[in-house]
Amino acid sequence: DFEPTNPFSCGPDYECGYSSLCLAEAAGYNVDTDCCQAPQPSGCPMLYEPLVCGSKKCPYTNLCVAELAGYSSSQCSPPAECPTGTFDCSYEPDDPFICGVGNCEY
């Protein structure tokens, strides 16, 4: 039997994935406030043009994926710029850290 899924990403940085509304709620999340739809991007191009959409700032890899989640281009914008520091880090090894919703690399 075919059972459609409506995946969700939940949590502070939307890092926890659930394949259905029921599973997200069973894990203790309020889907209206703690989760974003996380559609499977199989019909979208593999472009990384990150956007955040809606009042919850749901992260998506590109507009096609955001549209699958029900957002229009007018409801989305590029993520905030990553902050930078003012001191010299040139002595640090080249081993970047990836942080936050915008996947900022330091």
Side-chain angles (χ1 to χ4, degrees):
D1 287 327
F2 174 74
E3 185 175 325
T5 61
N6 189 8
F8 286 86
S9 294
C10 305
D13 290 325
Y14 306 110
E15 73 280 357
C16 300
Y18 299 94
S19 62
S20 71
L21 172 73
C22 182
L23 292 173
E25 289 176 338
Y29 288 106
N30 178 330
V31 177
D32 293 328
T33 58
D34 302 329
C35 302
C36 293
Q37 284 192 338
Q40 299 303 308
S42 59
C44 292
M46 297 292 291
L47 297 173
Y48 185 68
E49 297 172 341
L51 296 170
V52 291
C53 304
S55 60
K56 291 188 286 184
K57 303 291 183 198
C58 295
Y60 297 102
T61 54
N62 60 50
L63 182 59
C64 179
V65 179
E67 288 174 338
L68 288 175
Y71 291 101
S72 67
S73 61
S74 65
Q75 296 172 295
C76 301
S77 62
E81 290 291 320
C82 297
T84 59
T86 57
F87 52 89
D88 180 20
C89 297
S90 60
Y91 60 89
E92 290 286 325
D94 189 23
D95 190 14
F97 293 92
I98 307 294
C99 307
V101 173
N103 289 321
C104 299
E105 184 173 310
Y106 297 97

